Amino acid sequence: MQADALFWNSLVFAGIEEVKVEAVTAAFGTVEVVARGRAAAAASPDCGRSSDRIHDRYQRRLKDLPLADQGFVIRLTVRRFIGGTADCPRRTFAEPFSQLTVPHARFTTRLNRALERMGSPWPVGPGLGWRPSWASVRDG
């Protein structure tokens, strides 16, 4: 099932200007949103200079809050940029998605906050690997 990207962009990413929805599919109890960054350039976290020279791209798979009892996953294409200047200590860096998630996390900020409010016994934070499904946390 292919859905209207504008609808999903407004529903899922309301207030998150840095992400653009490219496609949405729903199958086997999971809704998957394919998204990418909107910005043409990004600033190096070390020197602060902006660069629009793309070095590479990679995919991040982020779990988000469930939607109508279906799992919800964001497949985010992240670009790596080449450092803005020769004197910058960082040669390449990934574009940030500070409104959506933190670096290395496998979950959206929204899901992490919901788990914190529920008093989840599992560690909540960036890059902490596997965590039980939302249903097992909710029913648990």
PDB file of all heavy atoms in Angstrom, residues 76-92:
ATOM      1  N   LEU A  76      15.371   6.174   7.481  1.00  0.00           N
ATOM      2  CA  LEU A  76      15.902   7.510   7.241  1.00  0.00           C
ATOM      3  C   LEU A  76      17.214   7.438   6.468  1.00  0.00           C
ATOM      4  O   LEU A  76      18.154   6.762   6.882  1.00  0.00           O
ATOM      5  CB  LEU A  76      16.132   8.200   8.587  1.00  0.00           C
ATOM      6  CG  LEU A  76      16.622   9.618   8.605  1.00  0.00           C
ATOM      7  CD1 LEU A  76      15.577  10.561   7.995  1.00  0.00           C
ATOM      8  CD2 LEU A  76      16.923  10.047  10.037  1.00  0.00           C
ATOM      9  N   THR A  77      17.277   8.128   5.332  1.00  0.00           N
ATOM     10  CA  THR A  77      18.528   8.227   4.575  1.00  0.00           C
ATOM     11  C   THR A  77      19.322   9.402   5.131  1.00  0.00           C
ATOM     12  O   THR A  77      18.844  10.532   5.162  1.00  0.00           O
ATOM     13  CB  THR A  77      18.258   8.440   3.078  1.00  0.00           C
ATOM     14  OG1 THR A  77      17.528   7.319   2.587  1.00  0.00           O
ATOM     15  CG2 THR A  77      19.557   8.576   2.298  1.00  0.00           C
ATOM     16  N   VAL A  78      20.520   9.103   5.595  1.00  0.00           N
ATOM     17  CA  VAL A  78      21.389  10.109   6.201  1.00  0.00           C
ATOM     18  C   VAL A  78      22.569  10.345   5.273  1.00  0.00           C
ATOM     19  O   VAL A  78      23.193   9.394   4.800  1.00  0.00           O
ATOM     20  CB  VAL A  78      21.902   9.634   7.579  1.00  0.00           C
ATOM     21  CG1 VAL A  78      22.801  10.676   8.218  1.00  0.00           C
ATOM     22  CG2 VAL A  78      20.738   9.279   8.492  1.00  0.00           C
ATOM     23  N   ARG A  79      22.869  11.593   5.020  1.00  0.00           N
ATOM     24  CA  ARG A  79      24.030  11.926   4.183  1.00  0.00           C
ATOM     25  C   ARG A  79      25.239  12.219   5.057  1.00  0.00           C
ATOM     26  O   ARG A  79      25.113  12.789   6.131  1.00  0.00           O
ATOM     27  CB  ARG A  79      23.721  13.148   3.326  1.00  0.00           C
ATOM     28  CG  ARG A  79      22.627  12.885   2.314  1.00  0.00           C
ATOM     29  CD  ARG A  79      22.180  14.149   1.644  1.00  0.00           C
ATOM     30  NE  ARG A  79      21.493  14.964   2.647  1.00  0.00           N
ATOM     31  CZ  ARG A  79      21.023  16.171   2.428  1.00  0.00           C
ATOM     32  NH1 ARG A  79      21.172  16.752   1.263  1.00  0.00           N
ATOM     33  NH2 ARG A  79      20.403  16.839   3.391  1.00  0.00           N
ATOM     34  N   ARG A  80      26.406  11.803   4.578  1.00  0.00           N
ATOM     35  CA  ARG A  80      27.677  12.179   5.212  1.00  0.00           C
ATOM     36  C   ARG A  80      28.282  13.261   4.337  1.00  0.00           C
ATOM     37  O   ARG A  80      28.390  13.101   3.126  1.00  0.00           O
ATOM     38  CB  ARG A  80      28.621  10.994   5.319  1.00  0.00           C
ATOM     39  CG  ARG A  80      28.151   9.978   6.338  1.00  0.00           C
ATOM     40  CD  ARG A  80      29.242   9.028   6.752  1.00  0.00           C
ATOM     41  NE  ARG A  80      30.340   9.666   7.435  1.00  0.00           N
ATOM     42  CZ  ARG A  80      30.345  10.045   8.716  1.00  0.00           C
ATOM     43  NH1 ARG A  80      29.284   9.871   9.439  1.00  0.00           N
ATOM     44  NH2 ARG A  80      31.403  10.600   9.253  1.00  0.00           N
ATOM     45  N   PHE A  81      28.671  14.348   4.956  1.00  0.00           N
ATOM     46  CA  PHE A  81      29.260  15.472   4.242  1.00  0.00           C
ATOM     47  C   PHE A  81      30.759  15.502   4.446  1.00  0.00           C
ATOM     48  O   PHE A  81      31.276  15.030   5.460  1.00  0.00           O
ATOM     49  CB  PHE A  81      28.660  16.790   4.741  1.00  0.00           C
ATOM     50  CG  PHE A  81      27.223  16.978   4.350  1.00  0.00           C
ATOM     51  CD1 PHE A  81      26.200  16.595   5.190  1.00  0.00           C
ATOM     52  CD2 PHE A  81      26.896  17.549   3.121  1.00  0.00           C
ATOM     53  CE1 PHE A  81      24.876  16.774   4.835  1.00  0.00           C
ATOM     54  CE2 PHE A  81      25.576  17.722   2.757  1.00  0.00           C
ATOM     55  CZ  PHE A  81      24.557  17.332   3.622  1.00  0.00           C
ATOM     56  N   ILE A  82      31.463  16.088   3.481  1.00  0.00           N
ATOM     57  CA  ILE A  82      32.906  16.307   3.585  1.00  0.00           C
ATOM     58  C   ILE A  82      33.095  17.614   4.332  1.00  0.00           C
ATOM     59  O   ILE A  82      32.396  18.593   4.076  1.00  0.00           O
ATOM     60  CB  ILE A  82      33.541  16.374   2.181  1.00  0.00           C
ATOM     61  CG1 ILE A  82      33.342  15.033   1.474  1.00  0.00           C
ATOM     62  CG2 ILE A  82      35.017  16.747   2.265  1.00  0.00           C
ATOM     63  CD1 ILE A  82      33.721  15.034   0.024  1.00  0.00           C
ATOM     64  N   GLY A  83      34.053  17.637   5.260  1.00  0.00           N
ATOM     65  CA  GLY A  83      34.316  18.824   6.073  1.00  0.00           C
ATOM     66  C   GLY A  83      34.417  20.106   5.261  1.00  0.00           C
ATOM     67  O   GLY A  83      34.883  20.095   4.120  1.00  0.00           O
ATOM     68  N   GLY A  84      33.951  21.209   5.855  1.00  0.00           N
ATOM     69  CA  GLY A  84      33.862  22.485   5.152  1.00  0.00           C
ATOM     70  C   GLY A  84      35.188  23.124   4.793  1.00  0.00           C
ATOM     71  O   GLY A  84      35.276  23.832   3.792  1.00  0.00           O
ATOM     72  N   THR A  85      36.224  22.889   5.589  1.00  0.00           N
ATOM     73  CA  THR A  85      37.524  23.502   5.318  1.00  0.00           C
ATOM     74  C   THR A  85      38.646  22.497   5.553  1.00  0.00           C
ATOM     75  O   THR A  85      38.460  21.494   6.236  1.00  0.00           O
ATOM     76  CB  THR A  85      37.771  24.712   6.255  1.00  0.00           C
ATOM     77  OG1 THR A  85      37.782  24.250   7.607  1.00  0.00           O
ATOM     78  CG2 THR A  85      36.702  25.766   6.085  1.00  0.00           C
ATOM     79  N   ALA A  86      39.806  22.807   5.002  1.00  0.00           N
ATOM     80  CA  ALA A  86      40.961  21.918   5.158  1.00  0.00           C
ATOM     81  C   ALA A  86      41.455  21.874   6.600  1.00  0.00           C
ATOM     82  O   ALA A  86      42.012  20.870   7.036  1.00  0.00           O
ATOM     83  CB  ALA A  86      42.088  22.361   4.239  1.00  0.00           C
ATOM     84  N   ASP A  87      41.241  22.950   7.368  1.00  0.00           N
ATOM     85  CA  ASP A  87      41.730  22.978   8.742  1.00  0.00           C
ATOM     86  C   ASP A  87      40.728  22.408   9.746  1.00  0.00           C
ATOM     87  O   ASP A  87      40.999  22.368  10.942  1.00  0.00           O
ATOM     88  CB  ASP A  87      42.141  24.393   9.143  1.00  0.00           C
ATOM     89  CG  ASP A  87      41.000  25.386   9.051  1.00  0.00           C
ATOM     90  OD1 ASP A  87      40.012  25.103   8.353  1.00  0.00           O
ATOM     91  OD2 ASP A  87      41.109  26.453   9.681  1.00  0.00           O
ATOM     92  N   CYS A  88      39.588  21.941   9.279  1.00  0.00           N
ATOM     93  CA  CYS A  88      38.596  21.328  10.161  1.00  0.00           C
ATOM     94  C   CYS A  88      39.113  19.959  10.607  1.00  0.00           C
ATOM     95  O   CYS A  88      39.549  19.164   9.770  1.00  0.00           O
ATOM     96  CB  CYS A  88      37.249  21.179   9.451  1.00  0.00           C
ATOM     97  SG  CYS A  88      35.953  20.481  10.498  1.00  0.00           S
ATOM     98  N   PRO A  89      39.086  19.652  11.897  1.00  0.00           N
ATOM     99  CA  PRO A  89      39.606  18.366  12.364  1.00  0.00           C
ATOM    100  C   PRO A  89      38.757  17.168  11.931  1.00  0.00           C
ATOM    101  O   PRO A  89      39.225  16.045  11.926  1.00  0.00           O
ATOM    102  CB  PRO A  89      39.594  18.497  13.882  1.00  0.00           C
ATOM    103  CG  PRO A  89      38.691  19.614  14.192  1.00  0.00           C
ATOM    104  CD  PRO A  89      38.656  20.511  13.005  1.00  0.00           C
ATOM    105  N   ARG A  90      37.530  17.405  11.538  1.00  0.00           N
ATOM    106  CA  ARG A  90      36.646  16.319  11.115  1.00  0.00           C
ATOM    107  C   ARG A  90      36.586  16.277   9.597  1.00  0.00           C
ATOM    108  O   ARG A  90      36.154  17.225   8.971  1.00  0.00           O
ATOM    109  CB  ARG A  90      35.256  16.539  11.704  1.00  0.00           C
ATOM    110  CG  ARG A  90      34.434  15.284  11.704  1.00  0.00           C
ATOM    111  CD  ARG A  90      33.137  15.509  12.410  1.00  0.00           C
ATOM    112  NE  ARG A  90      33.335  15.706  13.835  1.00  0.00           N
ATOM    113  CZ  ARG A  90      32.697  15.030  14.761  1.00  0.00           C
ATOM    114  NH1 ARG A  90      31.824  14.130  14.412  1.00  0.00           N
ATOM    115  NH2 ARG A  90      32.913  15.262  16.022  1.00  0.00           N
ATOM    116  N   ARG A  91      36.967  15.160   9.007  1.00  0.00           N
ATOM    117  CA  ARG A  91      36.980  15.054   7.541  1.00  0.00           C
ATOM    118  C   ARG A  91      35.584  14.844   6.981  1.00  0.00           C
ATOM    119  O   ARG A  91      35.231  15.384   5.948  1.00  0.00           O
ATOM    120  CB  ARG A  91      37.897  13.917   7.115  1.00  0.00           C
ATOM    121  CG  ARG A  91      39.318  14.127   7.641  1.00  0.00           C
ATOM    122  CD  ARG A  91      40.234  13.252   6.951  1.00  0.00           C
ATOM    123  NE  ARG A  91      40.599  14.000   5.743  1.00  0.00           N
ATOM    124  CZ  ARG A  91      41.563  13.679   4.939  1.00  0.00           C
ATOM    125  NH1 ARG A  91      42.250  12.609   5.170  1.00  0.00           N
ATOM    126  NH2 ARG A  91      41.858  14.400   3.894  1.00  0.00           N
ATOM    127  N   THR A  92      34.784  13.987   7.636  1.00  0.00           N
ATOM    128  CA  THR A  92      33.394  13.779   7.222  1.00  0.00           C
ATOM    129  C   THR A  92      32.509  13.813   8.460  1.00  0.00           C
ATOM    130  O   THR A  92      32.974  13.544   9.577  1.00  0.00           O
ATOM    131  CB  THR A  92      33.181  12.433   6.503  1.00  0.00           C
ATOM    132  OG1 THR A  92      33.412  11.373   7.409  1.00  0.00           O
ATOM    133  CG2 THR A  92      34.070  12.310   5.280  1.00  0.00           C
TER     134      THR A  92
END
